[in-house]
Every structure is written in C-alpha cells, then in structure tokens.
Amino acid sequence: MPNWCATRYACIGDENELQDLYDRMKRLQEMKEPLKPNGFGTAWLGNLVEDLGVDFNTVQCRGSWDDPTLENSVLRFSTETAWYRCTEVEDLIREKYPSIEIFFLCEEPGMCIYEKNSDEYFSEDYIVDYSAGDTYYLSEAEVLSELSDEFGVDFADIDEALILVEEHNNKDENDDDQIYVHKFELVD
C-alpha cells in the first residue's frame, strides 16, 4: 500500500486552454462510469490521460483529482496520488496545453516530502502538524507566532523555535503531544 501524496495546483495560461482543461475535468468527474475500470472512480487521473488521447498505461497516473475551480484566470484543483505527485500527468497537460504553467504545493509526510514551486500561488512556508490532529499551513512569521503562543516564549528566529519544539518532542511525558514542523522546499 502506498503512502498518499496530497498536492494542490494552480494553473495559469491562455484562458481558452484553461477553460478547456477545466471543462474536461468537470465532464469526466461528473460521468456515471469512468472511461476505464479503476479503483479511483471518474476523477481518476488515468481518465484524464485517456481523454487527452494517451494510453493510461504509458503514464504514471495512480491517483485522483478533486475540487477543480476556474476563477480569475487561475485553474485550481487538488490531487491525491501514490508516493509523489504525478509529474508525467503534469508533463502531458503542458504538452496538450502549451500555454499552461503549473504551480504546486506537494506533501507526502511518510517520505518527508514537502515541496512547492511558487511563493506567489502558495505563500505557505511551513506545515505545523500537531499529533492531536490540528494542521496549519503557515508563513514563517505565523509559525513563530503559533509556537510563541504554544510555549509562551518570544522567539528570535525560526531556528530557536525549532530547538524548543525538538526538546518538547523528546520529553517522555509528551509522547501523545508531539508537534511536527516541516518547511516547504522551493523547487524548480
């Protein structure tokens, strides 16, 4: 069984190309039956690959999309995929829609993958995850504020805050009260 990777996308480009991709995703998602049998339903990435005229067996497409919206010339959607984001599907979208630029924020906690390729479309710098269940996507300033509130300390910088988080997590009495702070790496 794979670890699941959650990715949020923001796509910009020619409005006609964005509209076509959005309409395609909505149409496929609303079908009663998928184009090919699969375990992900009609929003399976393989359905999109097939609808774009490519055999799904030739493209890594294990996963599905959700929540496509097209507002202010930005197409946004999210995916849940096996292990990592489906870069081959991204490449296919770029091939079929040459004007479209794809921005993403990707997290796969099991493999400690926290990546994004845009500060403009994804301003979050960190993810703060509490073992009690709360998860926050925050800027560095917001992380410092959050951790200052948590520990009652005004931190000089993020490194100082992360040292206290590590000390907190290493205390035996805090086994059920862990705090995980991960920085999103900016990648090309």
Side-chain angles (χ1 to χ4, degrees):
M1 178 153 180
N3 292 336
W4 292 103
C5 177
T7 306
R8 288 184 284 152
Y9 288 96
C11 304
I12 62 169
D14 178 80
E15 288 189 26
N16 292 326
E17 288 187 359
L18 290 170
Q19 187 69 52
D20 187 75
L21 179 56
Y22 170 76
D23 290 345
R24 184 181 305 267
M25 293 173 82
K26 290 297 283 185
R27 177 179 48 78
L28 290 168
Q29 191 171 330
E30 293 168 359
M31 294 173 60
K32 291 184 184 199
E33 296 292 325
L35 297 175
K36 302 281 183 178
N38 68 82
F40 296 98
T42 57
W44 172 48
L45 288 167
N47 279 344
L48 179 60
V49 168
E50 287 281 330
D51 202 62
L52 290 170
V54 175
D55 180 354
F56 79 89
N57 291 302
T58 64
V59 176
Q60 204 293 352
C61 54
R62 188 172 178 194
S64 60
W65 76 82
D66 196 17
D67 302 323
T69 60
L70 180 57
E71 295 176 2
N72 301 321
S73 300
V74 179
L75 171 60
R76 295 184 184 274
F77 60 95
S78 58
T79 62
E80 184 176 67
T81 55
W83 304 112
Y84 193 57
R85 56 183 229 277
C86 286
T87 59
E88 292 179 13
V89 174
E90 294 171 13
D91 292 342
L92 180 61
I93 290 171
R94 286 185 195 98
E95 178 185 322
K96 299 295 181 175
Y97 300 102
S99 78
I100 291 182
E101 293 180 69
I102 300 174
F103 303 102
F104 63 83
L105 182 137
C106 165
E107 63 182 279
E108 201 286 84
M111 299 295 291
C112 293
I113 297 170
Y114 300 92
E115 299 176 344
K116 65 179 184 172
N117 69 344
S118 171
D119 284 326
E120 180 181 354
Y121 290 97
F122 299 101
S123 60
E124 306 91 327
D125 296 313
Y126 290 85
I127 181 170
V128 178
D129 202 5
Y130 290 88
S131 61
D134 292 330
T135 301
Y136 302 97
Y137 298 85
L138 304 169
S139 69
E140 186 170 312
E142 292 168 328
V143 170
L144 287 172
S145 176
E146 174 72 20
L147 295 176
S148 291
D149 291 348
E150 179 72 28
F151 294 111
V153 174
D154 287 328
F155 295 108
D157 58 37
I158 193 71
D159 293 330
E160 183 182 46
L162 294 177
I163 289 169
L164 191 54
V165 167
E166 185 175 347
E167 289 173 2
H168 167 82
N169 288 347
N170 288 333
K171 292 180 183 174
D172 289 338
E173 67 268 15
N174 291 330
D175 282 347
D176 295 331
D177 186 26
Q178 300 288 293
I179 303 169
Y180 305 99
V181 180
H182 302 284
K183 182 170 178 50
F184 284 102
E185 179 183 356
L186 192 60
V187 298
D188 292 332

